[in-house]
Amino acid sequence: MTKHYDAIVIGSGFGGTMAARQLVGAGMKVLMLERGGWVVRGPENWGLRSSIDLTPHYDKETALKVVAGGNKKTMGLYSCVGGPSVFYGGVSFRFREKDFEQNEDISGGAGSFWPIRYAALEPYYSLAEQILQISGEAGTDPTEPPRSVPFPQKPASLAGISQKVKTAAEGLGLHPFQLPLAINYENTARNTCTHCTTCDTFACAVSAKNDLATVVIPDLLHQGMDLLAHTVATGLHVQNGSISAVECISKETGERLKFRAKHIVLAAGSLGTPHLLLSTGLQDHNPGGKVIGRYLMRHTNAIVFGIFPGVADKESRHHKQLAILDYYFGHASVPHLSGKIGSLQQVPTPPMGLVQNEVPGILGKMLSQGVRLLTGLLAIAEDQPQFGNSLTIDPTRRDSFGLPQPVISHHYSQRDLDAVGVLVKEAKKIMSGAGAIAHYVHHIRTFSHTVGTVRMGNDPENSALDEHCRFRGIDNLFVTDGSFMPTSAALNPSLTIAANALRVGDYIVREAV
């Protein structure tokens, strides 16, 4: 089966969907390929086993072999229409202006420099915020970059536990402010947020989260975009310096399919994209091919849970609401970390189901009751790009689609660990001020914020993508997921991925004229 399109988009996360939006809006005939299916919405999303890692959308069909750096030796990928946006907590930060500037303290000689500046993304940040209807407050964040338009929505009122955390932070001379969130609070034409406690890592039961499968993809389908779910891209065929065809397999029928298009947008995620490129041998066509799969970054994350003498969230209400960025650009106690440190963000009481999954049986059920005493702050430190942090492939082991096994190896640098250590200390002070009597620190070892594996740059031998995210050596291939980032900043990457994909989508449209 062969069919022709103006553009093929591989992946339906932020990078794929936002690029597709611009292409479809320009009248192009677009095919989107997604290896996962639609996530059903309803009361089951509130269940104990509805956190992403406990659902079928945590996909192990192409299992990741983790030789270093993971929480398990074998891990999966998030796979569904809308990508991770369906299960994320909605946090939608713009990177700071200085995040785009050269910083040797972070890059450490790795040649990881942005070929664009904040100004190039600012209008696309604004557009992405409008599309996703981000709620937020301006003027309270001491590191806030300039914006051309206000937030589309005001934030929700603070939960009781959030107010305690805010007061504690202010008591330490800090400047807490409300997180920018992709959650519907004001548009009564559709369901608004019920402030339930199953938001972060859960699909929204009432579709009040402004995820891509709710607020963007249905409109693209209405405009004529074709979407093939449960379809795995397995090959990118090269002819005369262009991708001549995309080969894939239907998971539902087992049928092998082949599609052709003038433009190919690869947005399979920062692990899925280098896996497909390496599996197809495209690194041999790129002068910077040595970086593909390398410089994997995923932030240095730790949750500082405060243990309270009673139920922490007495209202049983969504309370992922606050951010504290006072230490983003440094801390007096660690002058050797001269560049950046990171951010603190409020996280809610953890899901009981995850505890019961990790500790099965009666013991797990007993321990899961203890999560009611917890709430905390997430410390996100910017991690250094290192060549040795990588996704490679093992061609001797193949999955049911014929793809070689992806292999991950990752270690944090000492600077990474020093930076998150500073944030953990400060988070403990804040949680104690909010009423915690003890603390528990959980170091995150998943790959939820992975970026950087097919980075862009000005040096053709040290980056795989040019400033327009065109894959060097292949004139019609673009990469628009988090793979493109030269550095990770110290904030959630989703809005930056979205803004850049809108920018690249516009570039493809202009080029096609």
Side-chain angles (χ1 to χ4, degrees), residues 272-289:
T273 284
H275 179 228
L276 183 58
L277 292 172
L278 293 171
S279 299
T280 311
L282 262 66
Q283 71 276 12
D284 296 334
H285 297 265
N286 193 311

Side-chain angles (χ1 to χ4, degrees), residues 385-442:
Q386 303 178 74
F387 184 83
N389 287 342
S390 63
L391 179 144
T392 57
I393 58 172
D394 180 358
T396 67
R397 294 179 179 272
R398 295 186 177 267
D399 63 18
S400 60
F401 311 110
L403 292 167
Q405 184 171 43
V407 180
I408 290 181
S409 178
H410 183 278
H411 297 88
Y412 289 117
S413 72
Q414 189 58 52
R415 189 199 186 282
D416 299 340
L417 299 174
D418 289 347
V420 79
V422 171
L423 294 171
V424 166
K425 289 180 182 179
E426 298 302 329
K428 287 180 177 180
K429 295 177 186 177
I430 296 167
M431 295 313 298
S432 293
I437 58 174
H439 307 94
Y440 165 67
V441 179
H442 173 68

Side-chain angles (χ1 to χ4, degrees), residues 228-278:
L228 286 183
H230 300 293
T231 303
V232 180
T234 57
L236 301 172
H237 298 284
V238 180
Q239 186 175 0
N240 299 324
S242 296
I243 301 298
S244 60
V246 176
E247 190 171 340
C248 50
I249 297 176
S250 169
K251 292 166 64 176
E252 295 178 317
T253 67
E255 184 181 8
R256 289 190 175 273
L257 309 169
K258 188 178 289 186
F259 300 100
R260 303 184 189 278
K262 297 176 183 177
H263 306 281
I264 310 298
V265 176
L266 179 53
S270 296
L271 300 178
T273 284
H275 179 228
L276 183 58
L277 292 172
L278 293 171

